[in-house]
Amino acid sequence: AVVSTQSTGCKDRKVNLNFQPTPLLGGGVTLDSKTLADLSAMTPDRVALLNIMKSQFELTRGLLEITNGVLRSEIEGTVPDMKYTTLENTKQYIKENQPYAKTRKKRTKV
């Protein structure tokens, strides 16, 4: 290592010109320039915004799962052999179950 002497005005001190900082990640992990740029662009406000967006996404996903479950149970709960009511069936039901019509018929027959 090359050592030089610099005068700081107060006293002389030795400075190592070949100083190599120790890596923070260790283990020989290297980052490419794109990853390093992405990591350095993560300001606290961006991190907070990303966390909010992730939370919103999870809430939306949960809502969709619940809605799909409700719809699935409604579809499974319908009766496949359901008989639809027609106008003729309705008229027949009214004739058979309307008490006023029965008493009026009895009165006209007497």
Side-chain angles (χ1 to χ4, degrees):
V2 176
V3 178
S4 69
T5 306
Q6 291 182 341
S7 177
T8 58
C10 296
K11 60 181 174 178
D12 293 335
R13 67 179 183 162
K14 295 180 181 179
V15 177
N16 185 355
L17 297 178
N18 292 329
F19 175 73
Q20 295 293 326
T22 58
L24 294 176
L25 297 176
V29 177
T30 58
L31 298 175
D32 60 346
S33 60
K34 183 179 179 334
T35 306
L36 187 59
D38 290 343
L39 288 174
S40 62
M42 296 300 287
T43 58
D45 56 340
R46 282 191 176 184
V47 172
L49 181 63
L50 285 175
N51 287 339
I52 291 170
M53 290 173 67
K54 286 178 186 178
S55 298
Q56 185 67 36
F57 180 72
E58 291 301 320
L59 286 172
T60 305
R61 177 182 284 169
L63 179 65
L64 288 174
E65 289 175 0
I66 290 170
T67 304
N68 285 339
V70 168
L71 291 175
R72 198 174 306 114
S73 67
E74 286 181 4
I75 290 171
E76 291 172 357
T78 58
V79 180
D81 59 342
M82 185 174 136
K83 181 181 175 186
Y84 292 97
T85 305
T86 62
L87 180 60
E88 293 301 320
N89 291 347
T90 305
K91 288 179 182 179
Q92 181 68 27
Y93 178 82
I94 291 172
K95 286 179 185 177
E96 292 173 357
N97 295 308
Q98 190 175 22
Y100 177 73
K102 290 180 182 178
T103 57
R104 191 174 72 182
K105 286 182 184 179
K106 287 181 183 177
R107 276 190 259 146
T108 55
K109 287 185 180 180
V110 176

